[in-house]
Structures are given as C-alpha cells and as structure tokens.
Amino acid sequence: MDLTGERSGIPHLTPTLSAPGGGEGVSRRAGEGLSAGSTVGEVLDETAAALAAAGIDEPRRRARRIMVAALGLSPAEVFAHPQRMLDREEHARIAAIARRVAMREPLSRITGRREFWGLDFVLSPDTLDPRPETETVVEAVLARLLDRQAPYRFLDLGTGSGCLLIALLDEYPNASGIGVDVAYGAAITARHNAARLGLGERASFVAGDWGAGLAGGFDAVVANPPYIATADLAALMPEVRDHDPRRALDGGADGLAAYRAIARDLPRLLVPGGLLAAEIGLGQADSVVEIIIAGGLAVERVAPDLAGIARVVLACRLG
C-alpha cells in the first residue's frame, strides 16, 4: 500500500448542520411544536422531554448539548440566560438537530466535531468517533514516559482522526510522530486536524496496513484498533453501528485480528525499551496479553479506565 501520502491539498472539512431526511414515530416529533417566542429555558425543557420520549439516555444533558451546538452558545450561557427569546431560525436549527439525535445519530456526527483530551477534532465518514475511554491510552503513556521535553518518536496505528498522536504531541512539545490508517480519507482528516491545532510540522499521516512498510525507531506505539467480533457488530448501539465506519469496529471473528497484525511488527518498530499502549475491549485483556507476549514484548500492566474496566495493555520491547 502507498505509504507516501500527499503533503498538500488538504480539503476544507468544516462541517455543516444539515437538515434530517425525515423519520417516523416519536423521533420525528423531537424538536417540533416549539412556538414562536419560546425562551431558551422552555425550549431546553421541551427538547429534553422529546428526547426522553424517544428513549434517549440522559435527555437533559443531551438537550443542553443540542442547544450549545445549534445556537453557538457556551454551556454556561445556556445556564445563565434561560429567559433569552429564540427566533424562528434558531427554533429550526434546534428542531433539526433534535430530530436527528432522537433517531440515534450522534451529535458529534451532526456537528462533525468531537472534543478529545481538551482538543477540538474534526470528524469525517472515514474516522472513528473518539470515545472518552480512549483517553486512557494518553494517560498511560504520560505515566510511563515522564520526560515531557524528550524528543520522542510516536507511531499511531489506526490513527482515525489522529486524536491519540495529536494529544501526545500536544503534551510532548519536542516529540514527533506518524499516524497510519488503512483509510486514505482518515489520514487526510488526521492531517487536517494536526494542521488546525498547530501541530502539523511534527506529525505525518499516511495510508497503510498497520506497521507494514515502516522503518523502526519509535519510542512508543499507540493504537486503538478495531476489536469488536464480527458477529457482535449487529448488537452495538445504533449510534455506533450505524455511524462509525465498519472497518474501524470489525476486529474479525474473535475481535483480535488487529492485535495479531500489530504484534508481528512491534519488535521491529520499537527501539529497545520502547513502549506499546493499546486499547482493548471488554474481557479481552488476557487474550491480548498472550498475543503481545507471543510477539516478543514484555507486558508491564493493564490499565483501567475511569469506570474500572481493563482498557489499555502496556508492554515494552526488551533489550
């Protein structure tokens, strides 16, 4: 696969809030019936009630996020000015987004943006929508590589939006890195994110098959590979199943195919003492540890996320 990439011609990926294409049942009613002259507080209450009726979890929190996105307000402004009157255009934007959220489309997909590690990332159809638990990978690397001024070289396998590599470069100002994704569109999006966040000079993004074709010399490899077993994809929440790219979710028959592919290249990619930090799915810790050890690395620990779930396998290359 071509590992060169192009360093110019990054498309402008600024998202738009387009109207939904219809829908049936209670989800069709979310955001409708908002009368002219309603206040921020009234519309917030009505939107939360519509989302609750559609079976959406945490409807009031989600309604606040819809208001923030539709009105261009900060969360504090939504709280501070509940009596502000809304005009018809603002009503229409809120209603359009609320209908789509009620139909189980993630707000991050509607706006085309997701916050990760305090940074604003643009999403595209080729990228996974980063989840908060993936920040555990960044935390694990920070706890292990203590010298924030060191010129580390990072490799992000399955980079998607570039969130892991970019978050690390933001924390290590003298570091550089490469992000690899099988989807060329994801590599373009990640490169765009790095440029937007002022880190483009220290980050390169290429299309490729995991670590194949790359030279070594990396101080750390990070990865959030697909780890859902193929047979389990249909049972995922609609927000994930219907809106994240399948290749970013499908981990093969047992969910572990990507770890086997990555493990084969780790001894070549990592410097002696180099670190692997890989996200894992629920109940996969023992299996992934076995794969990593069979690949020639020494497993240091398995780090939990904030919910106490085993989330990141940490290993190092001996020597």
Side-chain angles (χ1 to χ4, degrees):
M1 223 175 242
D2 177 23
L3 293 178
T4 59
E6 296 293 336
R7 297 206 60 84
S8 60
I10 298 173
H12 185 63
L13 299 177
T14 303
T16 59
L17 299 180
S18 58
E24 300 297 334
V26 71
S27 62
R28 190 181 177 90
R29 298 193 296 273
E32 293 182 356
L34 304 179
S35 59
S38 295
T39 66
V40 166
E42 290 168 342
V43 173
L44 177 62
D45 291 341
E46 293 174 17
T47 303
L51 296 178
I56 301 299
D57 293 337
E58 301 181 283
R60 190 160 187 86
R61 180 182 69 83
R62 292 175 185 257
R64 284 196 297 268
R65 292 182 62 209
I66 289 171
M67 303 286 284
V68 167
L71 302 177
L73 300 176
S74 69
E77 288 172 319
V78 173
F79 278 114
H81 303 289
Q83 297 308 312
R84 175 191 157 184
M85 303 301 293
L86 298 175
D87 60 32
R88 291 186 180 277
E89 182 180 346
E90 290 172 326
H91 278 272
R93 291 202 302 269
I94 294 167
I97 296 174
R99 282 195 296 270
R100 293 172 69 175
V101 171
M103 294 174 68
R104 310 300 291 271
E105 184 175 356
L107 183 60
S108 55
R109 291 295 182 188
I110 299 170
T111 63
R113 308 186 97 89
R114 165 70 79 174
E115 181 179 313
F116 182 88
W117 202 253
L119 303 170
D120 179 47
F121 287 86
V122 167
L123 305 180
S124 74
D126 289 304
T127 65
L128 189 75
D129 185 354
R131 270 64 170 186
E133 57 267 26
T134 300
E135 293 186 350
T136 309
V137 176
V138 181
E139 294 168 353
V141 174
L142 292 174
R144 176 67 160 68
L145 302 182
L146 300 179
D147 185 357
R148 298 292 183 91
Q149 302 304 313
Y152 294 123
R153 291 188 69 227
F154 295 117
L155 174 61
D156 181 7
L157 296 177
T159 193
S161 64
C163 62
L164 285 177
L165 177 58
I166 291 169
L168 289 171
L169 296 184
D170 189 60
E171 293 287 345
Y172 295 94
N174 296 313
S176 61
I178 298 175
V180 180
D181 202 285
V182 69
Y184 181 74
I188 291 292
T189 303
R191 191 182 306 164
H192 177 71
N193 280 323
R196 287 176 57 252
L197 294 167
L199 298 167
E201 294 300 314
R202 293 192 281 128
S204 299
F205 295 93
V206 296
D209 185 9
W210 301 116
L214 291 175
F218 294 100
D219 297 288
V221 172
V222 295
N224 177 21
Y227 52 68
I228 307 298
T230 304
D232 295 335
L233 292 174
L236 293 174
M237 294 189 303
E239 289 88 343
V240 176
R241 181 192 65 225
D242 299 337
H243 297 283
D244 277 329
R246 182 183 176 96
R247 62 187 162 202
L249 301 171
D250 191 345
D254 61 358
L256 303 171
Y259 299 101
R260 297 187 184 96
I262 291 170
R264 288 193 293 267
D265 289 325
L266 290 174
R268 174 178 57 80
L269 295 171
L270 288 168
V271 299
L275 178 71
L276 166 71
E279 180 171 336
I280 59 174
L282 182 65
Q284 292 181 327
D286 290 344
S287 297
V288 174
V289 164
E290 289 180 8
I291 291 170
I292 298 304
I293 291 174
L297 270 64
V299 173
E300 296 184 348
R301 68 186 181 101
V302 178
D305 60 21
L306 291 177
I309 297 170
R311 184 61 62 186
V312 177
V313 171
L314 287 145
C316 69
R317 179 189 162 190
L318 297 176

